[in-house]
Amino acid sequence: DLNADGGATEAFAVGASFAGFLVFVTFIAMTAGEFSGGTFRALLLRYPKRLRLLVGKLTGLLVLSAAAVAVAEVLTVGVSLAMAPGQDVDTSQWFSWDGATAALEHFGTAYLGVVGWAIFGATLGIAFRSIPVALGVGFAWAGPFENIVVDSWESGYRYFPGQVLGSLIRGGTAELGFARAVVTAAIYTAVAATIATFLTARRDVTS
């Protein structure tokens, strides 16, 4: 795999799932903190259109996330180039047209997964409005619960949100193909986004 066209970003593709979980935690903390700290309420005093404010803030954060994912991929390529000679890895195919295409595909799948994790994290932050509570629920579900259950129930790889996003970031797995991962993740993300917008529009902002 490392000698192939996509070898330059293979390490990035493998490690991107961890980056997705970091984004999940970050969006939980930032969103819940805005409510618990009164920042969101203060912003509404200047700009009372809640949904536009929420969408604008999340869009800006997602743009920054895209930049962070791109930088991570570039740095990974640099590390891979430095390590390749010592591991007898042929890098001649890495900078071909197919190699560039593979790098873009790895970026695309990783970023789609990151967007899913970000929306889930923001939804938990909006729902609980408390960083400790939202982080506790997020960690418990995406960490121990999902990973313990799938050890005895393999169908969980196709239905649990965290497992679906993990398969999406890796470009599909043996348990869940890429096409189905995209469709399932899109449905889950749409549901989460709907819940987030509904709660933002309907609940009082009292902090």
Side-chain angles (χ1 to χ4, degrees):
D1 289 341
L2 293 176
N3 289 325
D5 299 327
T9 53
E10 184 68 23
F12 167 79
V14 172
S17 293
F18 181 69
F21 194 75
L22 285 178
V23 169
F24 175 63
V25 172
T26 301
F27 270 69
I28 287 177
M30 294 184 67
T31 308
E34 293 240 337
F35 284 95
S36 62
T39 307
F40 195 76
R41 181 176 182 274
L43 290 172
L44 289 176
L45 295 176
R46 300 294 300 272
Y47 190 82
K49 296 181 179 180
R50 297 184 180 191
L51 295 185
R52 284 191 180 184
L53 182 61
L54 176 66
V55 171
K57 291 177 70 64
L58 292 181
T59 300
L61 290 172
L62 288 174
V63 171
L64 289 176
S65 298
V69 171
V71 170
E73 185 172 21
V74 171
L75 291 176
T76 304
V77 172
V79 174
S80 297
L81 278 172
M83 296 181 65
Q87 302 297 323
D88 295 326
V89 175
D90 180 13
T91 63
S92 61
Q93 298 298 316
W94 288 10
F95 298 99
S96 64
W97 177 259
D98 289 337
T101 301
L104 288 175
E105 290 176 352
H106 285 156
F107 172 83
T109 55
Y111 186 62
L112 286 176
V114 163
V115 170
W117 279 117
I119 298 300
F120 288 160
T123 301
L124 286 177
I126 292 170
F128 293 102
R129 299 187 177 185
S130 167
I131 295 176
V133 175
L135 284 176
V137 173
F139 270 114
W141 176 269
F145 180 80
E146 285 196 8
N147 289 290
I148 290 173
V149 172
V150 294
D151 284 340
S152 56
W153 185 53
E154 291 188 2
S155 296
Y157 286 107
R158 300 193 294 272
Y159 299 110
F160 286 152
Q163 303 300 321
V164 170
L165 290 178
S167 295
L168 174 61
I169 289 176
R170 291 190 292 272
T173 60
E175 296 83 9
L176 182 64
F178 179 69
R180 183 168 178 176
V182 170
V183 173
T184 307
I187 293 172
Y188 286 166
T189 303
V191 170
T194 301
I195 293 172
T197 54
F198 177 81
L199 292 176
T200 301
R202 297 296 182 181
R203 291 170 67 184
D204 291 335
V205 181
T206 57
S207 298

